[in-house]
Amino acid sequence: MRDPGRGGDGDSEKAKRNPGGGVLMGRFFGVPIYVAPSWFLVAALITWVFGGQLDTVLPRLGGLRYLVSLFFAVAFYASVLIHELAHTVAALRFNLPVRRIQLQFFGGVSEIEKESDTPGREFVLAFVGPLLSLVLAAVFFGGMQLVDRGTVPGVLLAGLFVSNLIVAIFNFLPGLPLDGGRMLRAVVWKLSGRPMTGTVAAAWVGRGLALAVLIGLPLLSYAGGVDGNGSHSNADSLTDALLAAILAAIIWTGAGNSLRMARLRERLPGLRARTLTRRAVPVASDTPLSEALRRAHEAGARALVVVDGQGDPTALVRESAIVSIPEHRRPWVAVSGLAQELTAGMRVSAELSGEDLLDRLRANPSTEYLVIEPTGEIYGVLSTTDVERAFLAAMGRPAA
């Protein structure tokens, strides 16, 4: 499970239409499950490596060893999927929406859209994944006791036992973006009373883990791989170093992303529809653009709202359309030809702010929105360019 990214219904729809090139495998409680293209590369690699090991343990298999190793690769990723399903069940139990589950290069990701509201729920949400991996390891270990270890079932069960044990131990490491990092974040959050303090602590521990993996994994592999002549092949050293670099990069990047997202969430409440809204003037649909702009200039407004005979808003004049009309043609162009008809999704409450505001805009993509007071009166027009500018400023501003 990774640190939850933000997204609303619009992002969910985007994920359904364009799952990052992944293949939709099915749904679990309505949550889509995708397999990323990188999974097929790793599955092929596992099949090749495990097949080579099978040739040593069970030489009588011949070419069938690759079919057996492919079965192992699929079974291993099925175990990873169960790990992610545990996160999903916990998230749904806590009423946290899950955008999707994706199996990818190194394991899987449950894309949970919102943060837990308490450190206790955060801890449980992170803990259940590696716990399920431990349970699976125990199940496969128990199965090993029932079969001959020199047979295909015995080798497969041993491989699945070891791989699930490694997944559990790795995910228990106390650094973001690993599950153990989220558990550490929950503990520090509980002790300090501030989720941001927990995130900072777990993110920096995660960066420390990344450096430890980068340096320590090749050293451990070298120490354990020296043959009787005291040598270690260059190919093995290069492979170990490459694997360590990839793992370290994933952990370091994930920790940094978790930290940036947490800092952004602290600043999101500053994004308020009321403060970002442009003042608007109402105009009839047949008003020439030049006249409408004159009225807006006199009123100090920056937006135009088309209203009907009763003064009710019916459309918004698009800023991009205004810019495209040369000044000498504006007296002859009615605002109705530049307006976008109002839909229910384009009406935004002036009280919205932070994540609620972003969720509403994502769920109803548009360039402009009509901002209304709780009483139903027109407050103004909200432009997505203003929201994006404020959002980027929040992302780039140093933390206090």
Side-chain angles (χ1 to χ4, degrees), residues 23 25 34-47 70-78 80-81 102-108:
V23 178
M25 301 301 293
Y34 293 103
V35 174
S38 59
W39 177 87
F40 296 97
L41 176 62
V42 177
L45 180 61
I46 292 175
T47 300
L70 176 61
F71 179 83
F72 168 77
V74 174
F76 168 66
Y77 269 93
V80 173
L81 176 59
Q102 188 177 52
L103 299 179
Q104 47 189 225
F105 192 78
F106 274 110

Side-chain angles (χ1 to χ4, degrees), residues 84-108:
E84 296 304 327
L85 290 178
H87 290 308
T88 297
V89 170
L92 296 177
R93 175 67 179 81
F94 295 144
N95 296 318
L96 300 176
V98 182
R99 185 184 306 170
R100 64 179 178 180
I101 298 172
Q102 188 177 52
L103 299 179
Q104 47 189 225
F105 192 78
F106 274 110

Side-chain angles (χ1 to χ4, degrees), residues 326-348:
E327 190 170 351
H328 69 275
R329 291 191 56 226
R330 292 177 180 178
W332 317 106
V333 177
V335 294
S336 59
L338 310 174
Q340 180 178 4
E341 184 179 354
L342 273 173
T343 63
M346 292 171 62
R347 297 174 183 265
V348 174

Side-chain angles (χ1 to χ4, degrees), residues 33-221:
I33 301 172
Y34 293 103
V35 174
S38 59
W39 177 87
F40 296 97
L41 176 62
V42 177
L45 180 61
I46 292 175
T47 300
W48 178 262
V49 173
F50 194 69
Q53 295 174 344
L54 282 178
D55 192 34
T56 302
V57 180
L58 300 172
R60 65 181 182 276
L61 283 178
L64 288 176
R65 67 182 184 274
Y66 291 109
L67 182 61
V68 174
S69 59
L70 176 61
F71 179 83
F72 168 77
V74 174
F76 168 66
Y77 269 93
S79 301
V80 173
L81 176 59
I82 292 175
H83 174 114
E84 296 304 327
L85 290 178
H87 290 308
T88 297
V89 170
L92 296 177
R93 175 67 179 81
F94 295 144
N95 296 318
L96 300 176
V98 182
R99 185 184 306 170
R100 64 179 178 180
I101 298 172
Q102 188 177 52
L103 299 179
Q104 47 189 225
F105 192 78
F106 274 110
V109 171
S110 300
E111 298 187 11
I112 301 172
E113 296 187 355
K114 292 183 179 295
E115 275 199 323
S116 302
D117 54 0
T118 66
R121 289 187 172 186
E122 175 81 351
F123 189 92
V124 171
L125 187 59
F127 180 69
V128 292
L131 175 63
L132 255 294
S133 293
L134 276 181
V135 170
L136 288 173
V139 170
F140 291 127
F141 180 78
M144 289 169 55
Q145 314 311 311
L146 305 177
V147 300
D148 185 351
R149 298 190 182 184
T151 62
V152 170
V155 172
L156 285 175
L157 288 169
L160 291 170
F161 159 66
V162 172
S163 59
N164 276 277
L165 186 61
I166 291 174
V167 168
I169 293 173
F170 184 71
N171 275 279
F172 271 129
L173 293 177
L176 288 172
L178 304 174
D179 293 325
R182 297 186 63 79
M183 294 163 63
L184 174 62
R185 175 181 184 269
V187 172
V188 177
W189 177 3
K190 178 67 175 179
L191 294 176
S192 67
R194 296 187 69 242
M196 185 63 188
T197 302
T199 301
V200 171
W204 279 106
V205 172
R207 286 173 169 173
L209 283 174
L211 294 177
V213 168
L214 180 64
I215 299 171
L217 188 60
L219 292 178
L220 288 174
S221 179

Side-chain angles (χ1 to χ4, degrees), residues 9-19 24 27 30 32 34 99-100:
D9 294 341
D11 279 347
S12 298
E13 291 302 318
K14 183 178 180 180
K16 294 173 186 176
R17 296 191 302 267
N18 182 22
L24 178 63
R27 294 179 182 274
Y34 293 103
R99 185 184 306 170
R100 64 179 178 180

